[in-house]
Amino acid sequence: MTMLRDLLTPFQSDFSDTRLGRERSHWFIFTLLAVIVPFTSSMSSNLLHSLQTLFGLNVNARRFYFFMASTHLAWDRLWPIAWNLIPSPWSTGA
């Protein structure tokens, strides 16, 4: 699990360095992990339950739902990070 978390840390660099920005980057990484880990479906309520149960985060439900519904996530900057984390399928060997 820590290997997955370490792979996702480049996403954290796109969030601000304020207390709220650090909190959101933390939630963003663990939310991605909750989606990846086959524990439950990716519905918001199940993701919140995963964050609390699997990762032991103390997350206020109302604040989490506001975070999930946020229009301020900079997807135009986060998508290139995601694509750059995917290794190239090309090889030089035969």
Side-chain angles (χ1 to χ4, degrees):
M1 187 65 69
T2 59
M3 184 176 85
L4 279 175
R5 188 188 66 224
D6 293 343
L7 285 173
L8 296 175
T9 54
F11 287 105
Q12 291 179 312
S13 65
D14 201 59
F15 290 86
S16 70
D17 199 32
T18 64
R19 183 193 60 78
L20 185 58
R22 287 189 303 271
E23 181 180 74
R24 287 180 177 170
S25 72
H26 190 71
W27 287 3
F28 185 77
I29 295 303
F30 279 103
T31 302
L32 287 178
L33 285 174
V35 169
I36 293 169
V37 173
F39 176 69
T40 186
S41 71
S42 296
M43 292 174 43
S44 293
S45 60
N46 291 335
L47 290 175
L48 177 60
H49 183 69
S50 295
L51 293 176
Q52 294 168 334
T53 305
L54 288 178
F55 305 119
L57 297 179
N58 184 13
V59 179
N60 176 289
R62 181 183 168 138
R63 291 187 65 209
F64 178 73
Y65 291 126
F66 276 120
F67 166 74
M68 291 298 289
S70 174
T71 59
H72 298 290
L73 285 176
W75 288 108
D76 58 327
R77 293 191 311 263
L78 293 169
W79 273 115
I81 294 171
W83 288 116
N84 288 329
L85 288 172
I86 300 170
S88 173
W90 300 103
S91 66
T92 56

